[in-house]
Amino acid sequence: MLSAFSANEAPMVPKHLYEGTNILSNPHNTAPIGTGPFVFKEWVRGNHILYESNPNYWDQPKPYIDRLVVKIIPDAATRTIALETGALDLGSDTPIPMSEIECIKKNPKLGIETRGYGYSPTQTRIEFNLDNPYLKNLKVRQAIAHSINLDVLKKVVWYGYASNSPTGITPELTQFHDSTPSPYNFDIAKANKLLDEAGFTRQANGIRFQLVHYFMPYGDSFKRVAEYLKSALAKVGIDVTIRSQDFATFVKRVYTDRDFDFNNGSISNLFDPAVGVQRLYWSKTYSPGVPFGNGSHYSKPEVDRLLEQAAVETDPAKRVALYKQFQRIIATEILDLNLLQINRLTIYNKHVHGFINGIQGVNGSLADVWIEQ
């Protein structure tokens, strides 16, 4: 509960402007009034959001900058150019393609920061549809796990900015993370043996069966993961068709229509497993139409019990033990396949200072930001 009091998770809103209104349609949702270091001025949709310094901010003389302009730039290449030319001072959540990282490193005016994402660490994962006749078979999921080389994904897709995380709780949540190695190391021979045992033998063309794969359309990295998966699974006789769509269609297809075999993307574990992790594995969060929950349609009474008990347990040591027991179950059953914790990057002009002031980084208040003249 204390962890949730961050403004990033629980921002304050003015009671006198919300009381007695329909919260969902209140006009102040898009013209907010708060107590932070900046005052909202305008939102030009698709272009920018403008804030100006709050003269009544409680922590004077902050903020140190007079104006904050948040630019909306959908195209990654355009964002990269804007950072290189100085049109942008700061970009968070890896605003450029990973393929451009080496060029950014060589630019003397720009810096790369990996801190400031501990409040909502991100895990990459493969989500299986357990209603699929092939993927509901544990040996098939085990074979897929044995077919994937995490070191290749880490080096080729994420350029080294990632760490192995085969369990359901990211290493960033240090106290809860179970560091037990995955029981499914990279082993093509074992993968083929498991598929044979499952009864899915190769046909004359070498294919055992076909699956359709979707990737989260956020940047170019998940597309590259999909291309790697297609290549890797072909070696064990699984023919993968990759399909792509915009983000809204992806969410609808996976979480509402359930028209998918398996997908890859990322999910935030947030600041506590009861908030960011339980939703992915608890049978009671399986609800078609609700995104970023139990999309695999997993249900196991023992896992439900562990999650429910850990969510209300007040003894920290007991909570940790419950979550580690939970992680060992899901790591073995691999209802989803956790891959890597990615290091999200902030790209900044070196004349900008003070944007990392705590675990929230650029998602914090930015009250301490100052510009070197």
Side-chain angles (χ1 to χ4, degrees):
M1 187 66 160
L2 288 174
S3 299
F5 284 153
S6 159
N8 193 35
E9 174 67 17
M12 291 194 294
V13 296
K15 179 179 179 180
H16 68 287
L17 296 176
Y18 276 85
E19 191 170 34
T21 71
N22 183 334
I23 292 176
L24 296 179
S25 61
N26 190 299
H28 294 288
N29 293 339
T30 54
I33 296 173
T35 60
F38 298 98
V39 176
F40 173 84
K41 285 298 179 181
E42 69 174 6
W43 178 10
V44 179
R45 291 177 183 271
N47 187 280
H48 70 271
I49 302 170
L50 173 64
Y51 303 88
E52 292 182 352
S53 62
N54 181 357
N56 301 311
Y57 187 50
W58 62 271
D59 194 13
Q60 294 290 327
K62 301 175 186 178
Y64 300 128
I65 58 175
D66 299 321
R67 176 174 289 190
L68 176 65
V69 182
V70 179
K71 295 289 293 182
I72 291 90
I73 306 176
D75 181 65
T78 304
R79 291 195 297 268
T80 304
I81 293 170
L83 284 160
E84 290 176 330
T85 60
L88 289 180
D89 295 300
L90 189 64
S92 65
D93 283 292
T94 314
I96 66 171
M98 296 299 292
S99 56
E100 298 294 328
I101 292 296
E102 290 304 315
C103 290
I104 293 296
K105 285 181 178 178
K106 295 174 184 176
N107 190 321
K109 294 182 179 180
L110 297 177
I112 300 174
E113 178 60 73
T114 59
R115 295 175 300 157
Y117 295 99
Y119 193 74
S120 56
T122 298
Q123 182 97 323
T124 64
R125 62 201 280 261
I126 292 171
E127 188 172 42
F128 297 117
N129 183 346
L130 299 184
D131 297 324
N132 177 280
Y134 301 113
L135 295 173
K136 69 181 180 181
N137 188 310
L138 175 59
K139 288 188 176 182
V140 171
R141 302 197 303 274
Q142 290 173 327
I144 290 174
H146 279 303
S147 304
I148 297 171
N149 189 329
L150 289 182
D151 288 335
V152 170
L153 284 177
K154 187 174 4 180
K155 294 173 184 176
V156 176
V157 175
W158 302 105
Y159 292 79
Y161 287 94
S163 55
N164 289 12
S165 183
T167 181
I169 299 179
T170 165
E172 192 81 41
L173 295 177
T174 311
Q175 70 271 40
F176 301 110
H177 172 69
D178 180 19
S179 58
T180 304
S182 169
Y184 305 109
N185 60 310
F186 176 57
D187 190 330
I188 293 294
K190 189 173 287 187
N192 277 306
K193 183 173 182 293
L194 283 163
L195 289 168
D196 289 338
E197 291 174 356
F200 301 116
T201 55
R202 291 179 184 266
Q203 303 167 33
N205 60 3
I207 296 174
R208 300 176 189 272
F209 55 82
Q210 296 177 318
L211 294 174
V212 176
H213 180 76
Y214 294 92
F215 60 88
M216 182 179 286
Y218 187 84
D220 65 342
S221 296
F222 299 115
K223 180 176 184 291
R224 297 177 68 195
V225 171
E227 291 166 348
Y228 167 77
L229 292 175
K230 179 179 176 66
S231 173
L233 295 184
K235 295 175 184 176
V236 296
I238 301 175
D239 182 40
V240 175
T241 299
I242 299 173
R243 292 181 183 164
S244 63
Q245 59 277 298
D246 60 49
F247 188 75
T249 305
F250 169 81
V251 170
K252 182 176 183 295
R253 185 180 297 278
V254 172
Y255 295 105
T256 299
D257 302 337
R258 297 193 53 72
D259 178 22
F260 77 105
D261 294 335
F262 71 131
N263 68 76
N264 92 83
S266 65
I267 197 78
S268 174
N269 279 183
L270 297 173
F271 54 90
D272 188 279
V275 183
V277 177
Q278 179 169 326
R279 58 182 169 147
L280 307 177
Y281 304 97
W282 194 28
S283 66
K284 296 174 186 176
T285 50
Y286 171 71
S287 180
V290 179
F292 311 120
N294 183 354
S296 61
H297 196 188
Y298 177 68
S299 178
K300 189 179 182 68
E302 176 64 3
V303 167
D304 283 353
R305 183 191 68 80
L306 290 168
L307 290 171
E308 290 167 8
Q309 189 175 341
V312 298
E313 176 58 61
T314 56
D315 184 314
K318 290 180 180 179
R319 268 195 104 209
V320 169
L322 289 165
Y323 279 126
K324 288 193 173 180
Q325 188 179 347
F326 147 76
Q327 287 172 84
R328 286 167 193 152
I329 293 174
I330 64 167
T332 302
E333 297 192 354
I334 51 174
L335 55 140
D336 63 354
L337 184 57
N338 290 286
L339 303 172
L340 302 166
Q341 175 193 292
I342 55 174
N343 299 330
R344 288 137 73 195
L345 309 179
T346 298
I347 312 298
Y348 65 97
N349 191 303
K350 290 181 179 178
H351 67 208
V352 181
H353 303 270
F355 57 90
I356 300 295
N357 186 27
I359 199 169
Q360 296 176 92
V362 178
N363 288 319
S365 73
L366 299 183
D368 294 278
V369 170
W370 59 277
I371 307 293
E372 183 177 349
Q373 299 299 319

